[in-house]
Amino acid sequence: MTEFIPKRALLSVSDKSGLTELADSLRKLGCELIATGGTGRTLQDNDILYTELSQVTEFPEIMDGRVKTLHPLIHGGILSRRIYDEETVKSHKISEIDLVVVNLYPFERTISNPNHTHTDAVDNIDIGGPTLIRAAAKNHQHVLVVVEPTDYSEVIDLLSLGKINLEYRIAMASKAFQHIAAYDIVIANYFSKEEPLPEKLLFSADLRQPLRYGENPHQRAGYYITSSTNLQTFSTDKLLQGKELSYNNIADATAAFTTVSSFFDPTCVIVKHNTPCGVAQRNTTKEAYEAAFGCDPTSAFGGVIAFNREVDAETVSTILQAQFVEVILAPRFQLAALDAAMIRPAVRLIEIGEHQSINDRMNVQQSGSGFLYQQADQNPIAYDTYRCVTKRQPDEFEKLDLEFAWRVVRFVKSNAIVLASDRRSIGIGGGQTSRVMSVRIALWKAQDEGLDTSGAVLASDAFFPFPDSMEIASNAGISAVIQPGGSVQDNAVIEAANAHQIAMVFTGMRHFRH
């Protein structure tokens, strides 16, 4: 295989990180450097010899730099198929370019500034850069393309050892095509941001970490982070302690994070297999955890626990004494809490930051060869907008529990039923093909843990198709029910509730979760 030794390199970078070190190393390897305006000035300031691009093209940069690299003497030099195009190269006096180092105008960073203008955004749409990258990546048989400053040191090492082979150039070409595709997606989404359903659903994601396996050991998996701010995402950046997160850990942590973010008072959520098994509001994180754990200690084993308040050492110690836990999430952990967790070094602690609203986020789910795209389920509206449809009105304590249960039920797989008492769940039934079965499971779980259902409330994510659940609820002492309403059997369900002295409110909003 012929050794790859670049004789001529084109440098045109917005991010100047590592530029001088790269350029200096290339010069020492005998490589001639061609550079555009800003890149050239950086080289000049560091006494690195280079040729200004306009000297090659014999045409100045124009339109405030909008037009500079779009020239046949540049793209001919990159796209030349060497021996095959030898006559064309000679007749047009084209100098072949073997190495292209380009990164793009900072469009995403520009639009992330809340004070940016539309003109700022447009000015940071790179035209020549993507064209250079595409040309170099297309001609990877003869050209090496580099788009990330983090790759500079590896490129220099391999060049020094004479190990830039075709396989490596193909890998870098692949990275380059992904780079410009992701860049264009950010731009396209910026221009379509006002469209509730864009004509084309575009998003890119960066591999954050390869995972040991997926849901099961025979499945390969990785964790990707999307840069699209309107897609629901969960970051693992602040893993303060513990083993590497698994596929199932991340899925459960996402569910726990999303659920606990729906609450404003101090709340603890325990998730197992992507659904809540215990939720409670209390005055402190320790009290909230104890109440949530008491909902279903059996299911909590090996679960993920999330808080919406800073966690102290007492809370961590209480958790570790009570159960085996995979992950604990909180906006912050006190230093003493980190010390307390060190007795179980495998337990993962993740800081999730301050409360984040998900109302403007979108959900994407793969469905066969397509994707389902929807707005994230909105936070429940306030209780005073609900409509009582029974003779008996809920009292003030029931109202608090009804609103609490209604917040929880939207995070349980349909058909979903949540029993609540004193602002904590006491029984959860979900994922069943009939609603009455979910009612029975929720009641059974409460009774199995010795929790009193007398005076408790019941939330249903969708309407009751038949009145049978009212009789079952009444026999267990349920005093109030919250549900969307909208069934053809609503009158029969209301009559059954009245017959059993159950207060019932309709929300007019369904919370299916498939």
Side-chain angles (χ1 to χ4, degrees):
M1 181 178 292
T2 305
E3 186 178 2
F4 180 85
I5 303 174
K7 296 178 181 178
R8 191 170 291 103
L10 172 62
L11 310 179
S12 182
V13 295
S14 174
D15 182 352
K16 307 300 190 293
S17 304
L19 172 63
T20 55
E21 293 83 354
L22 172 68
D24 187 55
S25 298
L26 290 172
R27 287 292 303 161
K28 289 176 181 177
L29 290 171
C31 184
E32 177 189 342
L33 305 181
I34 303 168
T36 54
T39 303
R41 286 189 289 275
T42 300
L43 299 183
Q44 185 175 32
D45 292 343
N46 288 275
D47 298 320
I48 297 173
L49 187 64
Y50 77 99
T51 301
E52 173 61 45
L53 183 135
S54 59
Q55 292 179 251
V56 177
T57 62
E58 297 183 350
F59 197 94
E61 294 186 11
I62 60 174
M63 301 177 183
D64 296 325
R66 280 192 169 197
V67 179
K68 53 192 172 193
T69 61
L70 300 171
H71 195 284
L73 290 179
I74 298 301
H75 286 278
I78 296 171
L79 288 165
S80 165
R81 292 164 291 183
R82 303 323 188 236
I83 295 174
Y84 184 86
D85 290 320
E86 187 173 2
E87 289 187 15
T88 303
V89 166
K90 285 182 179 179
S91 64
H92 293 283
K93 298 180 181 180
I94 295 172
S95 297
E96 292 172 330
I97 297 170
D98 313 297
L99 173 62
V100 173
V101 181
V102 175
N103 55 61
L104 308 174
Y105 291 168
F107 182 84
E108 188 168 12
R109 190 174 73 213
T110 299
I111 63 172
S112 67
N113 182 342
N115 297 318
H116 83 274
T117 66
H118 184 72
T119 300
D120 294 332
V122 170
D123 284 345
N124 279 277
I125 297 174
D126 204 320
I127 303 300
T131 308
L132 291 171
I133 292 171
R134 291 183 71 89
K138 176 175 180 174
N139 202 25
H140 56 265
Q141 287 280 351
H142 308 287
V143 179
L144 173 65
V145 60
V146 184
V147 296
E148 295 284 0
T150 52
D151 290 326
Y152 292 172
S153 59
E154 179 184 68
V155 167
I156 289 300
D157 289 344
L158 293 175
L159 282 172
S160 302
L161 296 170
K163 292 186 176 180
I164 299 288
N165 55 23
L166 178 59
E167 182 181 9
Y168 185 73
R169 295 197 298 276
I170 290 174
M172 294 298 276
S174 172
K175 189 170 189 175
F177 282 124
Q178 292 174 42
H179 186 75
I180 55 177
Y183 186 80
D184 285 341
I185 284 172
V186 175
I187 296 171
N189 286 339
Y190 175 80
F191 279 89
S192 64
K193 63 184 178 181
E194 302 302 325
E195 299 177 39
L197 292 175
E199 288 296 315
K200 290 187 180 293
L201 179 60
L202 304 170
F203 62 92
S204 66
D206 297 321
L207 179 63
R208 179 55 52 87
Q209 66 184 87
L211 302 174
R212 287 176 296 165
Y213 52 80
E215 287 180 284
N216 301 290
H218 61 276
Q219 295 170 270
R220 294 184 63 183
Y223 183 47
Y224 289 78
I225 291 290
T226 176
S227 60
S228 299
T229 55
N230 68 326
L231 295 180
Q232 276 193 254
T233 187
F234 166 75
S235 176
T236 61
D237 282 347
K238 292 193 175 180
L239 177 63
L240 305 181
Q241 172 191 294
K243 298 186 298 184
E244 179 183 324
L245 288 157
S246 71
Y247 181 100
N248 292 333
N249 290 155
I250 294 172
D252 287 347
T254 302
F257 159 73
T258 306
T259 306
V260 84
S261 296
S262 178
F263 292 90
F264 300 95
D265 293 331
T267 303
C268 174
V269 174
I270 305 176
V271 164
K272 187 70 173 290
H273 293 315
N274 214 28
T275 195
C277 61
V279 183
Q281 288 182 328
R282 289 294 183 267
N283 294 323
T284 68
T285 55
K286 175 178 177 290
E287 291 171 353
Y289 165 71
E290 289 174 329
F293 179 70
C295 299
D296 189 353
T298 304
S299 297
F301 180 86
V304 169
I305 303 172
F307 297 90
N308 62 354
R309 291 290 190 279
E310 180 180 65
V311 167
D312 56 23
E314 187 179 17
T315 301
V316 170
S317 297
T318 301
I319 293 170
L320 298 184
Q321 291 169 15
Q323 69 168 105
F324 166 61
V325 58
E326 292 277 2
V327 183
I328 304 174
L329 304 97
R332 293 172 306 281
F333 290 87
Q334 294 180 2
L335 288 177
L338 299 179
D339 292 338
M342 290 179 66
I343 63 170
R344 301 273 182 86
V347 173
R348 296 114 169 143
L349 302 184
I350 301 178
E351 282 193 346
I352 57 177
E354 297 304 321
H355 178 85
Q356 301 179 44
S357 170
I358 63 167
N359 284 357
D360 58 347
R361 305 285 178 87
M362 307 298 290
N363 290 333
V364 177
Q365 180 177 325
Q366 188 168 6
S367 177
S369 60
F371 290 88
L372 296 171
Y373 179 76
Q374 67 172 353
Q375 183 183 38
D377 194 3
Q378 299 289 323
N379 279 324
I381 53 180
Y383 181 87
D384 58 11
T385 63
Y386 302 155
R387 178 169 62 96
C388 183
V389 294
T390 52
K391 295 176 182 177
R392 191 174 81 77
Q393 300 277 325
D395 62 31
E396 293 306 310
F397 293 105
E398 288 170 333
K399 288 179 181 179
L400 290 174
D401 284 339
L402 287 169
E403 186 168 2
F404 172 84
W406 189 239
R407 285 187 179 274
V408 176
V409 78
R410 69 194 181 106
F411 298 105
V412 179
K413 294 289 186 182
S414 299
N415 289 307
I417 296 293
V418 171
L419 307 180
S421 179
D422 190 21
R423 294 176 304 133
R424 73 161 178 164
S425 62
I426 60 172
I428 297 175
Q432 301 304 306
T433 52
S434 70
R435 191 157 301 278
V436 69
M437 183 56 69
S438 290
V439 172
R440 289 182 177 128
I441 289 173
L443 290 168
W444 174 78
K445 291 181 77 68
Q447 292 157 4
D448 192 56
E449 298 298 342
L451 299 172
D452 186 8
T453 57
S454 178
V457 305
L458 181 154
S460 173
D461 66 336
F463 61 66
F464 289 99
F466 304 104
D468 49 0
S469 292
M470 292 304 101
E471 183 174 352
I472 296 171
S474 175
N475 291 338
I478 300 299
S479 64
V481 170
I482 186 168
Q483 60 136 319
S487 168
V488 294
Q489 293 286 334
D490 274 352
N491 288 337
V493 173
I494 294 169
E495 288 178 10
N498 282 329
H500 294 290
Q501 292 296 301
I502 294 174
M504 180 181 290
V505 295
F506 281 5
T507 66
M509 178 183 288
R510 191 180 72 185
H511 284 307
F512 271 172
R513 189 176 184 83
H514 284 277

